[in-house]
């Protein structure tokens, strides 16, 4: 045998090595057993801690295996669903919740499987409805995480369920309240907004209603993203006041109120904006406000103001009208009656000395009174719209030739020369009767205020769009302070002529209204003691097809 050839020392050495190996193996086995026992103890402790935590948690803790079968349910399920854990763990999945909640669960399972293929294990959070033992439905919030072993393999799922019924009910009431708010906001005619102002002065809209966006003609995103998109549309004359009031209200936390103009859709609109502050801790303030489009109201106010001005003017015209009738007509009639009585007495006594002079005075006074009555009648007709307006094409020189001879006697008495410089081919488009009245009034006034031996010049100039007609004299002229009131019925007064001729000033008012009826303009240039030039413009015949002023032709 082989061992017979070994020495005793060699055998002892091998025996010693075998003992050392046996001791090493024994130690390794004991260590492995010890480690296994430690792991087992640690696992037991962890399971104990888990169950202790689960059993004392107000939330329901549960686990399922990879086939989604319940393996554990904490006792708090009784508080959640009114059934003990032993019963809950045996309950079929389909019996715990309505179909719509089952659909949510299945969808979450499909999503989790997609993540698991990617070795991604995020927690899943979802809200479902579950049945309570009494048959009612409760809202449950679930958070589900996969259970993984040391090799990263999924061995099941652990979940936590929490009763969120009260929270969901509160959310539902809040949503219903918001729906009622939105319904109310959409029905009222004003725009609603919520503006937050921070302590650093930064302003930002948190909410603007549909009506608000409609009033400002802005998109909601434009207002919410940058408040300057709103500010840039305020009228340049009103923005400074608006921002100043904003700043003052922000500092004092007093209600904000402003009315002004805003460019909306390319048009100027009048807005009424007011809001109240509600502090939100010490960092910022929310302003709850309303915006109303008051353009129609403002236009009505302006129209009313204009109507009041017109009414005052009409009253002034009425007062002047009756003043003329009461005073200016009484004077000439008094003169006519006085001189006619003298004339009668002279005839009875056959005293014919000066009878012709008295008869001329009576005739002139009667003529003056007749002219005044005609002017009053025509002016009153213009105010009621009853005067006829019949424009036609005619040669201007024809009208002048018809009217100038009417003044030959009265002009001759003062040795006044009337000159005319009007081309015979100048034609105008106008109402003959009205223009005749204007010409007669201007010539009559020129004679009245021209000294003995003076002269009157009548001229006409055809321009691009109209004909300029002028009546000039070298008489006493008009004081500067009276020039602005010459054509106003409420400001007219009488100035005696160079031979004490009487007048009312109504003729110029009538002339101006007649010319404006043609769409023209009437004016005067004058210097005291140098004379006056009255001028007016009429459309020439080339413009006969164009609209004349703002007047309508009436019969």
């Amino acid at each position: 045998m082989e061992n017979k050839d070994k020495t005793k020392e060699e055998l002892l050495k091998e025996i010693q090595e075998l003992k050392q190996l046996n001791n090493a193996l024994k130690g390794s086995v004991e260590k492995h057993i010890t480690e296994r026992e430690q792991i087992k103890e640690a696992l037991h402790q962890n399971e104990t801690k888990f169950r202790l935590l689960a059993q004392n948690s107000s939330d329901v803790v549960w686990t399922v295996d990879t086939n989604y079968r319940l393996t554990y349910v904490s006792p708090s399920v009784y508080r959640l669903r009114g059934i003990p854990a032993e019963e809950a763990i045996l309950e079929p999945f389909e019996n715990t919740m309505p179909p719509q909640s089952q659909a949510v669960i299945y969808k979450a399972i499909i999503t989790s499987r997609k993540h698991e293929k990617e070795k991604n294990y995020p927690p899943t959070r979802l809200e479902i409805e579950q049945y309570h033992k009494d048959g009612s439905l409760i809202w449950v919030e679930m958070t589900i995480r996969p259970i993984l072993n040391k090799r990263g393999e999924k061995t099941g799922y652990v979940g936590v369920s929490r009763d969120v019924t009260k929270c969901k009910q509160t959310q539902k009431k809040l949503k219903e309240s918001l729906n009622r708010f939105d319904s109310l906001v959409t029905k009222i005619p004003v725009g609603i907004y919520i503006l937050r102002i921070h302590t650093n002065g930064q302003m930002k809209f948190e909410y603007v209603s549909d009506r608000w966006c409609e009033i400002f003609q802005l998109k909601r995103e434009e207002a919410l993203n940058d408040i300057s998109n709103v500010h840039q549309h305020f009228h340049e004359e009103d923005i400074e006041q608006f921002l100043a009031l904003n700043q003052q209200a922000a500092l004092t936390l007093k209600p904000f109120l402003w009315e002004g103009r805003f460019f909306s859709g390319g048009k100027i609109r009048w807005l009424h904006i007011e809001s109240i502050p509600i502090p939100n801790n010490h960092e910022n303030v929310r302003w709850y406000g309303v915006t109303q489009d008051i353009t129609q109201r403002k236009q009505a106010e302006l129209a009313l103001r204009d109507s009041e001005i017109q009414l005052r003017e009409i009253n002034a015209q009425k007062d002047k009208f009756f003043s003329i009738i009461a005073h200016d007509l009484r004077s000439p009639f008094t003169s006519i009656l006085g001189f006619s009585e003298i004339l009668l007495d002279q005839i009875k006594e056959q005293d014919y000395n000066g009878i012709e002079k008295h008869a001329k005075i009576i005739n002139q006074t009667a003529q003056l009174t007749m002219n005044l009555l005609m002017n009053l009648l025509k002016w009153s007709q213009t105010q009621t719209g009853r005067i006829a307006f019949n424009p036609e094409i005619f040669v201007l020189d024809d009208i002048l030739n018809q009217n100038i001879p009417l003044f030959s006697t009265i002009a001759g008495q003062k040795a006044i020369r009337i000159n005319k410089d009007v081309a015979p081919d100048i034609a105008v488009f106008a109402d003959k009767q009205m223009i005749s009245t204007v010409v007669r009034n201007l010539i009559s006034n020129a004679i009245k205020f021209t000294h003995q031996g003076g002269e009157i010049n009548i001229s006409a100039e055809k321009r691009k769009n109209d004909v300029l007609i002028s009546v000039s004299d070298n008489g006493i002229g008009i004081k500067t302070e009276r020039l602005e009131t010459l054509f106003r019925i409420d400001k007219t007064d009488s100035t005696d002529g160079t031979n004490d001729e009487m007048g009312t000033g109504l003729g110029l008012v009538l002339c101006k209204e007649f010319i404006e009826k043609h769409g023209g303009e009437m004016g005067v240039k004058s210097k005291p003691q140098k004379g006056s030039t009255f001028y007016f413009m009429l459309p020439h015949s080339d413009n006969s097809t164009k609209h004349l002023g703002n007047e309508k032709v009436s019969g």
Side-chain angles (χ1 to χ4, degrees), residues 386-400:
R386 291 199 305 265
I387 193 167
F389 179 57
N390 300 309
E392 59 180 303
I393 297 175
F394 61 88
V395 176
L396 180 63
D397 196 43
D398 292 344
I399 290 293
L400 297 176

Side-chain angles (χ1 to χ4, degrees), residues 393 427 429 463-467 538-548:
I393 297 175
F429 182 66
R463 304 190 302 183
K464 182 178 180 180
N465 296 317
D466 54 32
V467 175
L538 291 175
H540 53 61
S541 57
D542 297 342
N543 291 336
S544 61
T545 58
K546 294 184 179 180
H547 179 63
L548 299 178

Side-chain angles (χ1 to χ4, degrees), residues 216 218 228-235 261-264:
F216 283 90
L218 289 172
S228 64
N229 290 330
V230 180
H231 288 169
Q232 66 184 354
H233 289 280
F234 280 91
H235 196 283
R261 291 164 292 179
F262 186 89
F263 287 97
S264 176

Side-chain angles (χ1 to χ4, degrees), residues 198-345:
H198 297 268
T199 52
N200 60 5
Q202 182 182 3
M203 294 183 290
K204 183 176 179 62
F205 282 110
E206 291 188 344
Y207 171 81
V208 290
S209 67
D210 291 341
R211 176 56 181 155
W212 187 96
C213 295
E214 182 183 344
I215 290 174
F216 283 90
Q217 289 292 294
L218 289 172
K219 294 180 179 178
R220 180 174 282 103
E221 296 75 18
E222 293 176 335
L224 298 180
N225 292 339
D226 189 352
I227 197 169
S228 64
N229 290 330
V230 180
H231 288 169
Q232 66 184 354
H233 289 280
F234 280 91
H235 196 283
E236 61 273 11
E237 296 178 4
D238 298 343
I239 182 64
E240 186 175 345
Q241 180 202 33
F242 174 80
L243 294 177
L245 290 176
N246 251 300
Q247 185 177 11
Q248 181 182 0
L251 291 174
T252 61
L253 292 184
K254 292 183 178 179
F256 172 77
L257 177 64
W258 178 82
E259 286 187 1
R261 291 164 292 179
F262 186 89
F263 287 97
S264 176
K267 297 180 181 179
I268 296 179
R269 310 293 296 177
W270 279 89
L271 302 182
H272 173 93
I273 302 176
E274 58 180 302
S275 61
I276 57 173
I278 298 181
N280 178 23
N281 59 55
H282 298 290
E283 296 182 358
N284 51 66
V285 178
R286 280 188 175 90
W287 290 77
Y288 295 80
V290 296
T291 301
Q292 184 177 7
D293 189 327
I294 58 170
T295 305
Q296 290 185 349
R297 192 190 81 189
K298 280 292 184 180
Q299 290 174 344
E301 289 176 356
L302 293 174
L304 179 61
R305 191 178 306 157
D306 292 341
S307 296
E308 290 176 350
I309 294 173
Q310 292 176 4
L311 182 59
R312 285 195 294 269
E313 291 178 351
I314 291 172
N315 284 332
Q317 293 172 0
K318 174 181 66 67
D319 293 341
K320 182 66 177 181
F321 185 78
F322 285 112
S323 173
I324 292 171
I325 294 175
H327 179 268
D328 295 315
L329 283 182
R330 183 175 57 189
S331 296
F333 274 113
T334 300
S335 177
I336 291 173
L337 289 173
F339 279 104
S340 63
E341 289 177 356
I342 293 174
L343 189 60
L344 287 173
D345 290 339

